[in-house]
Amino acid sequence: QVQLVESGGGLVQAGGSLRLSCAASARTFSRYAMGWFRQAPGKEREFVGAISGTGGYTYYPDSVKGRFTISRDNAKNTVYLQMNSLKPEDTALYYCAAKLWGAATMTSAGEYDYWGQGTQVTVSS
């Protein structure tokens, strides 16, 4: 069982930046691909990026490419989501997810085994 705890959300003005963190309890954290998703009220959960276990591969949808960057520190069992040039439409509850021996190209929420509780990001115009 892997526990994931997100942090770093908050209120930011459009054009601003936030860095989210996701701390994992996994003893073999480097074996887990990590993904970030978001869900706005009334909308489906949306993929915003993923990173391979080693950190060597990342994948992003067009909606955030060039603005969001995922990184990880396996020594700290933590994955990060750096969000720049934020827009009001980025407002959502952001979740991290983990998949043992997964790939950075996993874009479907159903492919991940473990989820955090989420952290709220609100971007004001």
Side-chain angles (χ1 to χ4, degrees):
Q1 188 74 12
V2 176
Q3 293 184 328
L4 304 174
V5 179
E6 301 96 337
S7 62
L11 174 64
V12 63
Q13 288 188 331
S17 299
L18 278 176
R19 189 176 81 154
L20 307 184
S21 299
C22 172
S25 65
R27 291 190 298 172
T28 53
F29 183 60
S30 63
R31 296 179 182 179
Y32 290 81
M34 300 297 295
W36 284 96
F37 290 77
R38 65 187 180 188
Q39 189 165 18
K43 295 188 177 181
E44 293 186 353
R45 195 163 294 191
E46 177 190 12
F47 171 75
V48 295
I51 188 167
S52 62
T54 62
Y57 297 95
T58 55
Y59 184 75
Y60 306 94
D62 289 342
S63 58
V64 306
K65 193 175 295 182
R67 299 190 299 123
F68 289 11
T69 302
I70 296 176
S71 61
R72 64 191 295 161
D73 185 339
N74 286 345
K76 295 183 178 179
N77 277 24
T78 302
V79 63
Y80 305 97
L81 178 65
Q82 177 68 44
M83 303 185 294
N84 298 328
S85 302
L86 283 162
K87 306 174 182 179
E89 51 263 44
D90 294 319
T91 294
L93 189 60
Y94 282 71
Y95 299 90
C96 66
K99 171 69 176 180
L100 182 63
W101 301 121
T105 52
M106 298 188 311
T107 62
S108 172
E111 296 181 279
Y112 291 83
D113 296 325
Y114 303 101
W115 291 83
Q117 294 300 306
T119 185
Q120 178 68 38
V121 172
T122 303
V123 184
S124 63
S125 57

